[in-house]
Amino acid sequence: MNDLFTPPVGRDLPPGRVQEMRTKLLADITGPARPARRRVGVGLVLAGIVAVAAVGVSAWSGGDGEQLLALGPDEMSPSLRAAAERCLEMNDRHARLPVASADLAVGAEHGDHVALLFLTEDHYLACDEWDPPHQSRSGGMAIDTDRPNWQHDWLPGPVDRLLLTSTERDGGDVVAVGRVSARVHRLVLEHGDGRTTVARIANGAFGLIAQGDIRERNSPALVSYDNAGNEIDRRPLFVPFDRLGRCYVDPQGTVVYGEPGPACLPAEPWIR
């Protein structure tokens, strides 16, 4: 079952469902004001930008608020499109990767959080924004130069997390984006307290926005399932890949992730 109300996974939407969702406009999802929090994560930290309201064109109502979802540039809400433009502007000022709006693989928007992942043949650009009402906008950005072992063709198992940010040092609200192999039909964040958040999967990528006081001490985990509902991978949310002690090899036995070891796991091909 999908935890976002009752809709099917995006890639399994029946004919006409996307158009139906497009007609359900949201008037205002900014929500009540919240105290300022500290944002921590990888990449560049942004602050001091004037806040804007979020209005969307496609929405699913979940137990913890409205979640706006996008497969790519053609499915973006106005606020998600504006966030994508700001992400590309930050790239132009700092990283200068050859990335354009057409390279957007997946985007997600939930309340005052936005997550975006752009993918090209040679690079990735991951961004998130936190835009609480009556406060300055903040966010993070990650690019492939942050990952010396970036591999375009292979993944370290079913999931390759590329960006993780949180509103507090030990958790809070969490944004995660990355890639998934073709085996992953469903990706879920288990909060560690009985709650879960389902990731958006599209174009070999995922975007996840989890709100509701997620805590590192509860050992939250990203859990992958195949199309038969079988669990195929589980990894701690807050533990970096290089601290998992895992290595992955391609079919020729070449280590493509991690350090060589006696029990390396198969790397999985990445197919968009």
Side-chain angles (χ1 to χ4, degrees):
M1 294 294 292
N2 195 309
D3 290 349
L4 293 177
F5 200 41
T6 54
V9 175
R11 58 180 140 184
D12 296 332
L13 287 173
R17 178 56 174 151
V18 172
Q19 184 60 39
E20 178 185 344
M21 290 191 296
R22 280 177 176 167
T23 64
K24 298 178 181 179
L25 295 176
L26 299 180
D28 190 353
I29 60 168
T30 54
R34 296 190 298 181
R37 303 185 191 179
R38 181 177 183 181
R39 174 172 287 277
V40 295
V42 299
L44 302 174
V45 177
L46 325 175
I49 308 174
V50 178
V52 296
V55 180
V57 296
S58 298
W60 288 343
S61 177
D64 54 351
E66 298 293 339
Q67 184 156 7
L68 307 183
L69 308 165
L71 283 168
D74 295 337
E75 299 293 333
M76 297 175 70
S77 69
S79 55
L80 198 58
R81 189 180 301 277
E85 292 174 355
R86 287 190 292 269
C87 177
L88 292 173
E89 289 171 0
M90 286 298 299
N91 171 64
D92 291 341
R93 290 199 298 269
H94 297 279
R96 299 180 180 176
L97 296 178
V99 178
S101 58
D103 298 317
L104 180 68
V106 68
E109 181 176 8
H110 194 168
D112 49 29
H113 280 89
V114 171
L116 301 156
L117 179 59
F118 299 83
L119 295 168
T120 72
E121 291 298 318
D122 301 307
H123 303 286
Y124 72 79
L125 170 64
C127 294
D128 82 295
E129 278 192 357
W130 182 45
D131 190 12
H134 315 301
Q135 298 179 36
S136 297
R137 181 184 294 119
S138 63
M141 181 174 78
I143 58 178
D144 57 270
T145 53
D146 297 328
R147 290 270 303 276
N149 63 343
W150 161 254
Q151 299 287 335
H152 175 73
D153 297 324
W154 297 101
L155 304 179
V159 177
D160 184 20
R161 194 190 75 207
L162 300 177
L163 171 70
L164 173 70
T165 62
S166 61
T167 55
E168 299 178 29
R169 185 170 298 279
D170 63 342
D173 297 347
V174 169
V175 171
V177 296
R179 303 183 295 166
V180 293
S181 74
R183 285 206 302 151
V184 179
H185 185 75
R186 190 166 181 262
L187 179 64
V188 176
L189 172 62
E190 293 186 356
H191 296 201
D193 58 3
R195 295 175 298 146
T196 60
T197 298
V198 179
R200 174 64 162 175
I201 296 177
N203 305 312
F206 77 89
L208 183 148
I209 301 175
Q211 297 180 328
D213 201 31
I214 294 116
R215 291 298 163 189
E216 186 174 8
R217 63 176 176 269
N218 292 330
S219 301
L222 286 173
V223 186
S224 305
Y225 298 89
D226 63 18
N227 58 8
N230 300 311
E231 181 179 318
I232 58 176
D233 185 74
R234 176 180 294 266
R235 58 189 65 192
L237 176 68
F238 288 110
V239 179
F241 172 79
D242 56 7
R243 287 173 49 195
L244 290 175
R246 301 177 184 176
C247 61
Y248 293 86
V249 297
D250 64 17
Q252 287 70 45
T254 302
V255 176
V256 293
Y257 285 94
E259 299 295 330
C264 287
L265 302 170
E268 299 197 16
W270 181 51
I271 302 172
R272 292 186 63 179

